[in-house]
Amino acid sequence: MQQKDKSTYKKESFGELFYHSCLGKFIILAVIMAAGLTIAHISVPSEDDMLYYTADGISQCIEENKLAKSDKIDDWVRNFTAIFTNCDSATITNNLKDFDKYNSLKVYKHAFYSTARVHSNFHPEGARVSIGIFGMVIPTVSYNDIVMTVGPVRKEYNQKIIEANYDDEYFGTNPDLGNTYNTYQGDGSIE
């Protein structure tokens, strides 16, 4: 294109044309995503790192729940700080003695990340307790994901599972709540 006044006309270079086109923006985005996925694939934490940092996060969870029961926000804060802090190795060993009786920890590798799951009788399919990506292990453990003690699930053989799901209703001074354990008197009530 020719203009009579060449002082106002500036011809765009190939790089500017490429950058301003839709195809150029798509190719740039694809290159950035490919670089990010390549870095993620290369920096997946090893299985030993996943086991160590996940055990550390589980130990911190057990230690915190010895003092007071935590809710979801407490879990998020503890899991975030567990990325940057470590438990004492003696504390980890003591806390994981009971943990190892009823739970098993297994690491699953994926293409761009890895996960650690706790398998127990309560969660046979496994509950995810950490994610490893970009070289760091991010714990996602909650105290409800692990089994620390065992207790009866049924009162007698072939009975339904005991569930104590009672809302904030007032049941009177001496209610019969059905098939529950009454540990004070030594036997349960009968339906």
Side-chain angles (χ1 to χ4, degrees):
M1 172 177 213
Q2 295 289 339
Q3 268 187 328
K4 293 181 181 176
D5 185 12
K6 294 191 180 199
S7 64
T8 60
Y9 178 72
K10 182 181 174 191
K11 191 172 183 181
E12 290 183 336
S13 68
F14 178 74
E16 290 174 338
L17 287 173
F18 181 74
Y19 178 72
H20 291 297
S21 70
C22 183
L23 179 63
K25 290 180 181 180
F26 178 74
I27 290 173
I28 291 170
L29 179 65
V31 167
I32 291 171
M33 288 178 60
L37 290 175
T38 302
I39 292 170
H41 180 70
I42 292 170
S43 64
V44 172
S46 67
E47 186 171 347
D48 293 336
D49 287 344
M50 284 293 293
L51 288 173
Y52 176 76
Y53 290 113
T54 303
D56 181 65
I58 290 171
S59 178
Q60 288 183 23
C61 177
I62 293 169
E63 197 66 29
E64 182 178 305
N65 276 285
K66 285 181 182 176
L67 301 174
K69 298 297 177 200
S70 59
D71 59 1
K72 288 188 180 200
I73 293 182
D74 293 332
D75 289 338
W76 290 346
V77 170
R78 184 196 61 252
N79 288 328
F80 179 73
T81 58
I83 297 171
F84 308 107
T85 61
N86 289 329
C87 242
D88 183 29
S89 61
T91 306
I92 293 173
T93 306
N94 288 338
N95 287 338
L96 293 183
K97 283 181 185 175
D98 292 332
F99 173 80
D100 289 335
K101 287 181 188 175
Y102 308 112
N103 304 284
S104 65
L105 187 61
K106 186 161 174 129
V107 175
Y108 296 94
K109 291 277 195 178
H110 305 282
F112 305 112
Y113 63 98
S114 60
T115 58
R117 291 186 166 270
V118 170
H119 296 275
S120 62
N121 288 341
F122 191 63
H123 295 288
E125 74 283 354
R128 187 187 68 213
V129 292
S130 70
I131 301 170
I133 190 165
F134 293 118
M136 56 184 189
V137 178
I138 303 165
T140 60
V141 66
S142 171
Y143 196 72
N144 295 332
D145 296 336
I146 56 179
V147 176
M148 294 302 289
T149 59
V150 293
V153 177
R154 292 181 168 90
K155 185 175 176 184
E156 299 269 340
Y157 179 73
N158 243 357
Q159 284 187 342
K160 64 182 181 179
I161 294 177
I162 299 169
E163 292 182 10
N165 295 333
Y166 304 114
D167 295 332
D168 293 335
E169 298 178 23
Y170 178 69
F171 290 107
T173 56
N174 191 13
D176 181 14
L177 298 177
N179 191 10
T180 60
Y181 279 98
N182 187 350
T183 57
Y184 182 72
Q185 294 175 354
D187 60 346
S189 58
I190 299 173
E191 288 186 13

